[in-house]
């Protein structure tokens, strides 16, 4: 058991100074007055001395087995290591396949999801990848989602991108229907997580899917929606129709036709779109390539979960209240993906907690009650980390 004293709690709403008792991976008690506990309980204590305590971040778009490969096999990105998540305040991840769903498989993805769980994080995944027909383990996305516990939807299916398989409306509707029905059968999210490229068609395929089918808008979650300013405006309108949209915390050059994640979130919140229908993810482990006019890679970066904490600090620096910024990193993601026990600080919830120091760094990180980061340094590392 662990007692956290003198925490300035954001649940994500501001609760003020509180003490928290943790045990069995859960939050057992929260109160304004410090409890008197019998010595026989042998409770460890950490005094946060007024530090801000927030829910652990849920990174909903992670290449847990590595991404990349668009410029040859040597450009395949390695899988991120455990402390790359925890040092960024990330305690839950959702893994996926991207461009390379040929040499990387659903089985490999699942093995990395299970490995992260063994190391103390919470992890799930999507079946499929960029292309149609989607990569699966059972031969059917409906069976994958319904029968394989960690798989909660399809992703990241690519549209409006020269690397996609150019899916038709009928193909998208069939996949979305399979995801939705499998979600109903299993109590999972059952969504289609859609990679958006730079193509001029933008979100037209999703609009047509909403216009011509009975599927709930929540089934469609476009990501990378801030990569083009016009695309972002389309995404905001879809959110008003009931879709959930995901902003990517990738680097944006000055003058580029894109919105940095902090600017995109502020614009979204000011647009009048439902505040619960937006999230921020990192694309950790995935390559961030640029292409020339002939579709060849002309530059490459790699996403990392630390971009989420950087984005949160950028939002705070521009004056957005912490309680207004946090849902996009925590409760909104848990709500869409139906991740029970995640995204909030409350009695009975999982003890996924991050204490931020004065500079906005992750000073203390607990995942399911286990201490991963303390005094800003990792105390638990992955098997192959030095």
């Amino acid at each position: 058991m662990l007692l956290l004293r003198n925490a300035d709690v954001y649940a994500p709403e501001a609760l003020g100074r509180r003490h928290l008792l943790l045990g069995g991976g859960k939050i057992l008690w929260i109160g304004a007055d410090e409890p008197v506990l019998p010595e026989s309980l042998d409770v460890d204590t950490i005094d946060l001395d007024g530090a801000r305590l927030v829910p652990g971040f849920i990174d909903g778009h992670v290449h847990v087995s590595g991404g990349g490969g668009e410029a040859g096999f040597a450009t395949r990105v390695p899988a991120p290591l455990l402390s790359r998540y925890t040092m960024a305040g990330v305690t839950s991840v959702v893994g996926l396949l991207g461009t390379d769903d040929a040499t990387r498989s659903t089985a490999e993805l699942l093995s990395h999801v299970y490995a992260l769980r063994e190391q103390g994080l919470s992890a799930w995944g999507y079946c499929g990848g960029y292309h149609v027909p989607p990569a699966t383990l059972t031969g059917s996305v409906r069976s994958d989602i319904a029968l394989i516990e960690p798989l909660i939807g399809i992703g990241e299916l690519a549209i409006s991108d020269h690397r996609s398989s150019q899916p038709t409306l009928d193909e998208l509707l069939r996949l979305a229907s399979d995801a939705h029905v499998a979600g109903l059968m299993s109590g999972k999210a059952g969504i289609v997580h859609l990679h958006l490229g730079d193509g001029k068609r933008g979100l037209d395929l999703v609009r047509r899917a909403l216009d011509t089918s009975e599927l709930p808008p929540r089934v469609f979650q476009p990501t990378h929606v801030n990569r083009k300013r016009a695309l972002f405006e389309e995404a905001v309108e879809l959110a008003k129709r009931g879709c959930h949209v995901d902003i990517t915390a990738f680097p944006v050059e000055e003058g580029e036709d894109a919105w940095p994640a902090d600017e995109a979130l502020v614009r979204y919140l000011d647009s009048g779109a439902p505040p619960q229908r937006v999230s921020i993810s990192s694309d950790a482990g995935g390559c961030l390539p640029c292409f020339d006019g002939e579709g060849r890679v002309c530059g490459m970066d790699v996403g990392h979960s630390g971009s989420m904490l950087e984005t949160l600090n950028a939002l705070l620096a521009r004056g957005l209240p912490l309680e207004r910024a946090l849902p996009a990193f925590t409760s909104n993601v848990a709500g869409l993906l139906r991740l029970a026990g995640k995204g909030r600080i409350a009695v009975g919830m999982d003890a996924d907690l991050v204490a931020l120091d004065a500079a906005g760094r992750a000073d203390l990180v607990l995942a399911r009650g286990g201490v991963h980061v303390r005094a800003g340094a990792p105390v638990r590392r992955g098997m192959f980390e030095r």
Side-chain angles (χ1 to χ4, degrees), residues 5 44 50 66 116 144 159 162 181 190 206 213 230 232 244 254 257 261 284 291 305 309 340 342:
R5 300 176 62 243
D44 291 331
L116 289 172
D144 270 17
I159 61 174
H162 63 93
V181 171
V206 180
S213 79
F232 179 75
H244 185 290
E254 186 174 353
D257 179 23
F291 296 93
S305 286
L309 191 53
K342 302 299 182 183

Side-chain angles (χ1 to χ4, degrees), residues 245-287:
V245 300
D246 187 52
I247 294 166
T248 306
F250 45 47
V252 174
E253 300 293 332
E254 186 174 353
E256 185 179 348
D257 179 23
W259 294 123
D262 60 301
E263 178 70 24
L265 183 62
V266 169
R267 287 177 173 270
Y268 180 92
L269 294 175
D270 288 344
S271 72
Q276 72 274 17
R277 292 186 189 148
V278 65
S279 59
I280 293 177
S281 63
S282 73
D283 210 352
C287 76

Side-chain angles (χ1 to χ4, degrees), residues 80-160:
L81 299 173
L82 177 67
S83 67
R84 294 283 285 175
Y85 301 117
T86 55
M87 287 291 289
V90 171
T91 58
S92 298
V93 299
V94 182
L96 40 69
L97 301 178
T99 310
D100 183 1
D101 48 16
T103 70
R104 300 188 191 274
S105 67
T106 305
E108 182 185 15
L109 175 75
L110 275 170
S111 72
H112 284 272
V113 166
Y114 290 135
L116 289 172
R117 289 182 173 189
E118 289 176 5
Q119 295 173 96
L121 260 62
S122 298
W124 295 267
Y126 293 120
C127 62
Y130 267 27
H131 304 111
V132 177
T136 64
L137 195 64
T138 65
S140 157
V141 294
R142 192 185 306 176
S143 295
D144 270 17
I145 297 168
L147 301 176
I148 302 172
E149 179 269 319
L151 299 181
I152 60 175
I154 301 172
E156 56 174 318
L157 178 66
I159 61 174
S160 298

Side-chain angles (χ1 to χ4, degrees), residues 22 33 63 77 125 151 187 220 317 357 385:
L22 317 177
D33 297 320
H63 294 271
V77 180
L151 299 181
F220 302 96
D357 67 14
E385 290 189 79

Side-chain angles (χ1 to χ4, degrees), residues 18-44:
R18 293 290 186 272
H19 311 286
L20 298 88
L21 184 64
L22 317 177
K26 300 286 186 179
I27 301 171
L28 303 179
W29 173 89
I30 302 174
D33 297 320
E34 187 172 345
V36 178
L37 302 171
E39 292 184 6
S40 59
L41 285 180
D42 192 26
V43 178
D44 291 331

Side-chain angles (χ1 to χ4, degrees), residues 13-14 54 88 95 150 191 201 234 249 310 320 323 357 385:
E13 64 274 8
V54 303
I191 67 167
R201 289 176 291 177
E234 291 184 70
E310 293 168 3
L320 191 69
E323 60 269 32
D357 67 14
E385 290 189 79

